Amino acid sequence: MRDRHSKRGMTDNGSGQQPAAVDKPKAWAAGIPGVTHALGPALTQMGVGRSLKMLTSMNQKDGFDCMSCAWPDPEHRKTLEFCENGAKAVSWEATRLTVPTRFWAENSITDLLEKSEYWLGMQGRLVEPVYKPAGSDHYEPISWEEAFQVTATKLRGLESPNQAAFYTSGRTSNEAAFAYQLFVRAFGTNNLPDCSNMCHESTSLAMAQTIGIGKSTVGYDDFAQADLIIIMGQNPGSNHPRMLTALEEAKEAGAQIVAVNPLIEAGLRRYKNPQRVKGLIGHGTSIADQYLQIRLGGDMALLQAISKRVLDADDANPGTVLDHDFLNDHCSGLAELRAHLALLDERAVLAATGLDASAINELADRYLAADKVIITWAMGLTQHKKAVPTIREIINLLLLRGNIGKPGAGASPIRGHSNVQGDRTMGIWEKMPPQFLDALQREFGFDPPREHGIDSVGAIRGMRDGKIKVWIALGGNLVAAISDTAVAEAALRRTALTVQISTKLNRSHLVVGEEALILPTLGRTEIDVQATGPQFVTVEDTVCAVHASGGRVAPASPTLLSEVAIVSRLARAALPADGPGSIDWAGFERDYALIRDHIAHVLPQFADFNRRVREPGGFVLAHGPRDSRTFPTPTGKALLTINELEHLECPPGRLLLQTVRSHDQFNTTIYSPNDRYRGITGGRMVIFVNSDDLADLGIADGDLVDVHSEFADGVDRVVRGFRAVDFPTARGCAAAYFPEANPLVPLDSVAEGSNTPASKSILIRLERSARTR
């Protein structure tokens, strides 16, 4: 590997505090700039040959799965089946740059804490285990055997297994996730927080409550068969750009698209497909036929208003609007919902949504005219305090006209991490159902713990309160991803040991316990050879399709271990030889097919796993509501629910803030300090505000402001020195990037029911900053 560590080409000192330049937001997404911005990092980080091999293998049936999102793959794939952000994700992981041994002596943890996430990630691949002893401010190289013994000693010394927590990132493969949860439960705890706790936990809960399963009810091909697609709280142009191709295909097939979003986003306006002539030199495809710039937190009110109009239309024309056969055969709760929505206050709806009645009527008319409707959403819905009832309202609206369980229609949550859904299927959850635990017991001969464990917010509370002593993370960057940054960092520092299994450096490696370990691992792009030969892993995408993924390039270092190998060796070191059950940890490492055989025995949907996943394109998991309108609820029917509408008041002189990702960002990974579509270059300390709101507040575009959040606990949470940016967002609403704005959200501000940090609809005030421009 080339060592270019002294030649970073950084434009600043790595602090991430440089001022941003602001230009006019773009009116469309992708096109030729999408190509150049994809290939630039690839050629710089990987070189021509490596780039060609990687980019032509990504998302192919015999290639590797992109780690940047969970968007499904079409049956018939192009030679280049990737997007700009996918290319950046691969370049970031498959870089030839590695962190040299001298880096750890040259850089103290204290010094590294002053660096930005972007700077940390650009230091290259981690290639050797390192250890921070108690009392030291430096990591130092350590052997793999010593690293496992340090961890095992700490785990065995705990008074209770529940004093440890085991986090999982959504990029972890099915095989690694299954082995990991098995190790954790054999150790004796269900403390399995994961990244889903911070994104689509609200979706999983709401859909399970209403239709019995927390997964998408549509497949890729359904988009092109839909009459109407409603996109809520979602920015596909930056967060899952390949979705734009599916939307373009839907438009060409005659679908209408409605965008519901406080921000005007380029990808929802127009798409210039870079693999088509009209996308390179033509106008491209207009996406949204109607764009509703809804007030933050107003989605539930909008959905209830549409459902009420549907019910009113059926009252006016009995038997011609609702799908009465479907409702009678497959649903319950219609009479109760009808009575509840009859009392809906239209004035409250208009106040909550910030929309005109005419715009709501137009959307209702589109819905009534469409036979097949898909509603798709992401974290713009899931991270509100009322996220769970809002998503239940999506299901209500779909059920009224039978828009679940037929082609071209359904509920489509779009998950961000490439295998976050698969990890949950494999058992990465703090409260797996008894059926799963019983199956583990039958398969491995030990009784897993039955007491529910803790989620991500619960883990921070546990560390803060001294109840969690050991923190082990299989990927991820929790301290940057979660809310209330100061509380989260203080909590991590109270632990006895933190262990991070990672490919690249991030802030969670620097916010450490008394002792700390970084264990470097293979990336998904890399060839994984074990004792029985080359291995592949599997993932489950957002539409329940399971397929294989195999690396294409040599590992960044021959000393790297795979995630499966790390988990297996850690289990062998930490669990007693005569411990619970009969688990062949060494066999797991030698041959991942053995893990898949066990998965097939534990999870009936994975029967004959090894054969089926080797079929081109893999297989799709069974899904009762989608496949046969069979609803695995306690009553066997889908449930129409009653949800009380609450209007979030915003006092004069205040705004509602949401946190968002930039275009050059994947979760907490920052590919550059730019956000091309929103017109931001060279910095991330910005806050987007409507021009009329800026005028009312006496703040000019370009002024530096301090952003204060206001919660009932009276704590003054503030981020300072943000550049105010005049931006087309809904009146009374603002947006800032995460993780920079995470300090504004209290740890206990969570979505009701799901415990997901409520990073949307944050009440804030802006004050002029003491910092100079």
Side-chain angles (χ1 to χ4, degrees), residues 32-56:
I32 291 176
V35 176
T36 58
H37 282 84
L39 294 182
L43 296 174
T44 299
Q45 295 288 327
M46 298 189 293
V48 176
R50 195 176 178 93
S51 295
L52 182 63
K53 177 183 290 187
M54 300 307 296
L55 297 179
T56 57

Side-chain angles (χ1 to χ4, degrees), residues 70-72 215-216 218 412-415 418 421 540-545:
W71 181 249
K215 298 181 179 182
S216 174
V218 306
S412 177
I414 305 299
R415 288 175 162 87
S418 59
Q421 187 163 296
E540 176 188 343
D541 66 27
T542 200
V543 298
C544 310

Side-chain angles (χ1 to χ4, degrees), residues 657-661 684 686-688 722 734-738 741 744:
L657 175 75
Q658 64 172 328
T659 63
V660 297
R661 281 164 43 172
R684 294 175 53 83
V686 299
I687 182 166
F688 301 100
F722 276 49
Y737 299 129
F738 104 99
L744 297 172

Side-chain angles (χ1 to χ4, degrees), residues 39-77:
L39 294 182
L43 296 174
T44 299
Q45 295 288 327
M46 298 189 293
V48 176
R50 195 176 178 93
S51 295
L52 182 63
K53 177 183 290 187
M54 300 307 296
L55 297 179
T56 57
S57 299
M58 194 189 331
N59 298 318
Q60 301 298 330
K61 293 181 180 180
D62 60 349
F64 68 91
D65 191 71
C66 177
M67 63 290 292
S68 69
C69 79
W71 181 249
D73 300 313
E75 175 61 26
H76 303 290
R77 303 177 195 181

Side-chain angles (χ1 to χ4, degrees), residues 391-461:
I391 296 165
R392 289 199 297 252
E393 290 292 352
I394 289 177
I395 303 302
N396 281 347
L397 181 56
L398 291 171
L399 291 175
L400 287 176
R401 286 176 53 80
N403 278 306
I404 287 182
K406 67 180 181 183
S412 177
I414 305 299
R415 288 175 162 87
H417 247 315
S418 59
N419 198 42
V420 64
Q421 187 163 296
D423 289 348
R424 180 60 58 89
T425 304
M426 293 296 110
I428 301 295
W429 193 26
E430 70 277 5
K431 43 189 176 185
M432 287 298 288
Q435 305 94 289
F436 179 86
L437 301 177
D438 291 343
L440 281 185
Q441 184 176 15
R442 290 192 298 270
E443 181 71 5
F444 295 103
F446 75 96
D447 187 14
R450 303 291 169 145
E451 178 185 1
H452 287 173
I454 54 174
D455 60 11
S456 294
V457 169
I460 297 297
R461 291 173 180 151

Side-chain angles (χ1 to χ4, degrees), residues 253-267:
Q256 295 185 345
I257 294 177
V258 176
V260 182
N261 197 315
L263 292 168
I264 293 291
E265 301 286 16

Side-chain angles (χ1 to χ4, degrees), residues 477-498:
N477 183 10
L478 178 74
V479 78
I482 204 162
S483 54
D484 215 340
T485 306
V487 170
E489 293 192 352
L492 265 293
R493 291 186 173 108
R494 291 203 65 191
T495 59
L497 174 69
T498 52

